Amino acid sequence: MVNLDWDKLKFEYQPVKSNLRYNYSNGQWDEGKLYTTYDVTLNVASNVLHYGQAIFEGLKAFQCVDGKVRIFRPQANAKRLNASASRLLMPTFPEEMFVEAVRKVVADNIEYVPPYGTGGALYIRPVMYGTTPQIGVSPASDFQLVFIVVPVGAYYKGGIKPVDACVSTDFDRAAPLGTGMIKCAGNYASSLLPGKIAKEKFHCPVALFFDPKTHEYVDEFSTSNFLAITADGTYITPASQSILPSITNDSLLTVAADLGIKVERRPIHRSELPGLAEVAACGTAVVLTPVARIFDGDQVYIYGDEIGPVLKKLYDTMTGIQSAQLPDTHNWLVDVL
Ligand SMILES: *Cc1c(COP(=O)(O)O)cnc(C)c1O
């Protein structure tokens, strides 16, 4: 195990031992190779720099209570990467190859997986981009898919802390209407400005987007899905074409149903916001972040400065499954070695 200050880790890039790179040309992926450098050489006319053919994924490997390292739901990330690839006319990457690639890069960097009990994880970030030099707008024919890994710390040190959110009123996020959100560079670039406004103008760490067509229904936060517990204890989360299908949200919905909680994926009208009992943002980075208050124009909806009981139960159950303290009844964990 490398000598890192595991308790000080944040969600930040740092170089580790290796990254795993695959190249696509002449209609085929190569067999992949581990690299110890982080630099890539690109022609300045590469498609990705001008037309943004770039997608990514995010998933985690955990050291479990028995000392083994396991990856959480890599097949789901493989499927979503391929959904993103298809939408941007990029080549898909076989699902089994994706799972093997993740296992390989985690195994090679096993000494960077934060120890059990620190609450940290090895974050895996696959990124694919078009490298063909071109001036005309058309899909690239050459691509690179690189798997980098970064040790990240427990998000919550000394207890879960709810955060404020505000409705993004100045800007929509550029989600392609009717096609669904994909995990691509372009959507993130255009969410930076609304995120900056949320922080500077409203002092909120996160912005909440409504659907771009009517602005009547809740979509999601900049980098995480929206979920809430209603006054009668139902887990609700938006059904929308312009949100990213979060694997964490899908897992939490499943866990909630297992716990006997009623779950609903349905449109959530903004008029429901004041009446909700518990609200949270969810995603791989943090599992879930409770929301203390939502600022919506001149209204404020208050959910409290402590995590609510249902969210706490969901959080504990999810992290319990990820660290193999609780049974993995859905076969979500994949062994590295
Ligand atoms: C990645 C992402 C999420 C969370 O998805 P997970 O699979 O749970 O990590 C939510 N919203 C957006 C826009 C995302 O890019």
Side-chain angles (χ1 to χ4, degrees):
M1 181 145 287
V2 289
N3 189 19
L4 282 183
D5 196 347
W6 305 107
D7 292 325
K8 292 243 165 66
L9 288 175
K10 299 198 179 85
F11 194 75
E12 267 172 10
Y13 163 76
Q14 61 166 299
V16 292
K17 183 181 164 201
S18 65
N19 57 85
L20 178 57
R21 304 184 187 183
Y22 292 82
N23 287 293
Y24 182 90
S25 59
N26 300 316
Q28 265 188 325
W29 286 106
D30 68 9
E31 73 285 5
K33 200 168 161 235
L34 288 163
Y35 283 73
T36 54
T37 70
Y38 280 79
D39 295 333
V40 295
T41 304
L42 284 180
N43 187 304
V44 70
S46 289
N47 167 302
V48 61
L49 300 176
H50 303 252
Y51 305 123
Q53 265 190 311
I55 56 177
F56 64 96
E57 271 302 325
L59 63 162
K60 277 179 172 174
F62 300 89
Q63 185 176 69
C64 298
V65 63
D66 59 1
K68 275 197 180 186
V69 175
R70 296 184 177 89
I71 306 154
F72 189 69
R73 302 191 70 180
Q75 298 91 342
N77 293 90
K79 286 196 173 75
R80 193 171 63 188
L81 179 86
N82 286 335
S84 299
S86 301
R87 178 62 182 81
L88 293 194
L89 293 183
M90 298 170 77
T92 56
F93 193 75
E95 211 175 297
E96 323 77 66
M97 241 169 103
F98 182 96
V99 175
E100 282 318 301
V102 174
R103 291 179 67 206
K104 184 169 173 177
V105 73
V106 173
D108 200 55
N109 292 281
I110 201 93
E111 73 263 43
Y112 285 91
V113 181
Y116 171 78
T118 61
L122 192 69
Y123 181 73
I124 304 138
R125 166 58 63 85
V127 58
M128 192 202 295
Y129 44 88
T131 57
T132 311
Q134 58 189 92
I135 288 298
V137 183
S138 62
S141 46
D142 307 276
F143 295 86
Q144 209 161 68
L145 171 59
V146 184
F147 293 78
I148 62 171
V149 297
V150 195
V152 297
Y155 195 80
Y156 301 113
K157 301 191 187 7
I160 299 175
K161 182 98 190 65
V163 302
D164 288 340
C166 64
V167 174
S168 179
T169 47
D170 300 23
F171 289 94
D172 284 331
R173 186 180 45 176
L177 252 187
T179 58
M181 249 309 261
I182 57 172
K183 224 169 168 70
C184 69
N187 279 330
Y188 271 80
S190 46
S191 77
L192 296 176
L193 178 58
K196 182 171 188 253
I197 292 170
K199 282 194 187 69
E200 289 178 358
K201 196 161 145 191
F202 301 101
H203 307 289
C204 288
V206 286
L208 175 62
F209 294 94
F210 284 160
D211 78 283
K213 196 169 181 180
T214 70
H215 298 115
E216 287 291 315
Y217 293 91
V218 178
D219 256 353
E220 65 170 328
F221 301 98
S222 314
T223 62
S224 46
N225 272 188
F226 176 99
L227 72 93
I229 309 301
T230 61
D232 68 359
T234 304
Y235 178 135
I236 60 169
T237 193
S240 164
Q241 286 294 302
S242 45
I243 62 176
L244 200 276
S246 156
I247 295 160
T248 312
N249 198 5
D250 181 77
S251 309
L252 287 168
L253 276 160
T254 307
V255 162
D258 290 350
L259 292 169
I261 296 167
K262 195 169 154 214
V263 300
E264 286 175 2
R265 233 191 249 269
R266 61 165 173 81
I268 300 175
H269 194 263
R270 65 192 305 171
S271 62
E272 289 187 67
L273 288 175
L276 297 171
E278 302 177 43
V279 172
C282 73
T284 295
V286 269
V287 179
L288 60 81
T289 307
V291 171
R293 300 181 291 183
I294 294 176
F295 294 85
D296 180 8
D298 49 17
Q299 312 219 64
V300 191
Y301 317 127
I302 298 171
Y303 307 107
D305 288 325
E306 298 288 333
I307 185 169
V310 181
L311 292 178
K312 179 79 169 71
K313 179 87 190 145
L314 290 170
Y315 180 84
D316 289 344
T317 308
M318 266 289 280
T319 51
I321 294 170
Q322 289 174 333
S323 56
Q325 287 167 296
L326 294 175
D328 177 23
T329 52
H330 299 281
N331 292 316
W332 283 337
L333 299 174
V334 171
D335 287 5
V336 168
L337 297 169

